Amino acid sequence: MPSSCTQAIVINMKLFLTVLAVAVACASASALPQKVQPVPLKDAVVGPGGAASIEGRITNGYGASEGKVPYIVGLGFSSGGGGWWCGGSIIGHNWVVTAAHCTHGADSVTIYYGALWRLQPQYTHTVGSGSFRQHSHYNTNNLNNDISLINTPHVDFWHLVNKVELPNGNERYNNFACWWALASGWGKPCDNCGVSDYLNCVDSQIIDRSECAGVYGTDVITDHVICTSTPGGRSTCSGDSGGPLVLHDGNKLVGVTSFVAASGCTSGLPDGFTRVTSYLDWIRDHTGISY
């Protein structure tokens, strides 16, 4: 179904009623289809039939130029003998915001600043779980409140490492439907490509919440979630968890990368992001940052 943002079809009412009557006559009494199951992005499959992966990926996106997204950081989490990769956004000299499903269960994280190649940053800092501020109401079942903060050592800002602004209080009720935004993360640029650790971007259009709830259900798609369309398989994917969704107009952080459909990143179904405007007070209370 095309997005409500892009539909421009003029319907002849008489033809519409005729088609509707035929559809009603032919419809079965079967139950409504089940809602699509979302999965946190660090556990997402790469596509139909793909295997689970923790490699960072933006599917069918494009490579970032130097300094295009200076606010993104790579996050290498460790827990026991294992680990996983996520993204995050610098919002202050001492603070990074990411997804709760990234910090959940981690013992520590190494933060990669100013990297185009994932493991070739300008510098790194490592902090323990005592520096995490995971949302106390994060729900692992439906991914509600999928947001965390990381308190970091002080970082100075320059053209390769810089913060992204948060929306201001007057924007907290804007649903941003039909606005264009930039998502970014590290990894393979397509399903059939070899592994690449280069920073990639994708331009996405935010869709109305009701359109996304029609796919995932209202238990997942609350007022605290933003969704984007993924035409042509242009999508966030495994390892992009916690990364930024930033408006083209105004360069403000409106989303934290959260989930995709369990059927895969290139399935054409909407991507899900934690809505930053729902957590402005929570962020301010922990960090002192507000606009």
Side-chain angles (χ1 to χ4, degrees):
M1 178 183 294
S3 167
S4 58
C5 299
T6 58
Q7 282 183 310
I9 301 172
V10 177
I11 300 175
N12 180 285
M13 183 57 69
K14 188 173 182 179
L15 177 60
F16 170 76
L17 291 174
T18 301
V19 173
L20 179 62
V22 172
V24 170
C26 297
S28 71
S30 60
L32 291 174
Q34 282 191 321
K35 300 303 180 184
V36 173
Q37 180 67 32
V39 291
L41 272 163
K42 74 181 181 67
D43 301 322
V45 296
V46 300
S53 170
I54 62 168
E55 294 297 333
R57 310 178 71 247
I58 288 279
T59 59
N60 299 307
Y62 56 91
S65 57
E66 186 175 76
K68 180 177 177 64
V69 282
Y71 46 79
I72 193 172
V73 293
L75 300 174
F77 287 94
S78 297
S79 178
W84 54 90
W85 180 266
C86 284
S89 303
I90 302 169
I91 60 170
H93 291 286
N94 298 93
W95 292 98
V96 163
V97 63
T98 187
H101 78 257
C102 290
T103 59
H104 188 69
D107 297 324
S108 65
V109 63
T110 298
I111 307 164
Y112 295 77
Y113 295 89
L116 282 180
W117 294 97
R118 183 164 63 100
L119 300 180
Q120 296 180 20
Q122 299 299 313
Y123 54 87
T124 65
H125 287 307
T126 299
V127 298
S129 59
S131 295
F132 301 165
R133 306 291 185 271
Q134 183 173 300
H135 199 284
S136 59
H137 294 135
Y138 167 57
N139 187 319
T140 58
N141 294 319
N142 59 16
L143 296 176
N144 287 175
N145 303 305
D146 190 14
I147 189 168
S148 281
L149 294 161
I150 302 174
N151 191 197
T152 72
H154 179 92
V155 295
D156 292 322
F157 296 151
W158 52 309
H159 75 286
L160 294 182
V161 178
N162 210 336
K163 69 177 181 178
V164 61
E165 286 193 5
L166 302 176
N168 61 51
N170 294 330
E171 297 170 290
R172 68 176 68 238
Y173 300 114
N174 191 336
N175 66 9
F176 300 109
C178 302
W179 289 48
W180 283 90
L182 179 75
S184 49
W186 283 268
K188 295 191 293 184
C190 68
D191 278 338
N192 297 321
C193 298
V195 174
S196 167
D197 286 326
Y198 196 81
L199 180 62
N200 282 276
C201 300
V202 64
D203 298 299
S204 302
Q205 193 169 33
I206 297 169
I207 62 177
D208 190 83
R209 184 172 66 88
S210 61
E211 188 175 340
C212 197
V215 176
Y216 296 106
T218 55
D219 184 49
V220 174
I221 309 303
T222 67
D223 291 340
H224 310 313
V225 173
I226 275 180
C227 294
T228 63
S229 59
T230 62
R234 294 189 296 274
S235 173
T236 56
C237 201
S238 306
D240 295 323
S241 291
L245 182 71
V246 174
L247 294 176
H248 284 189
D249 185 7
N251 295 315
K252 293 183 180 181
L253 181 73
V254 293
V256 174
T257 307
S258 181
F259 63 86
V260 292
S263 53
C265 304
T266 57
S267 63
L269 296 174
D271 290 344
F273 301 79
T274 303
R275 179 186 293 275
V276 171
T277 52
S278 294
Y279 300 92
L280 294 176
D281 293 344
W282 179 80
I283 291 171
R284 180 202 60 209
D285 291 346
H286 283 285
T287 69
I289 298 170
S290 63
Y291 292 88

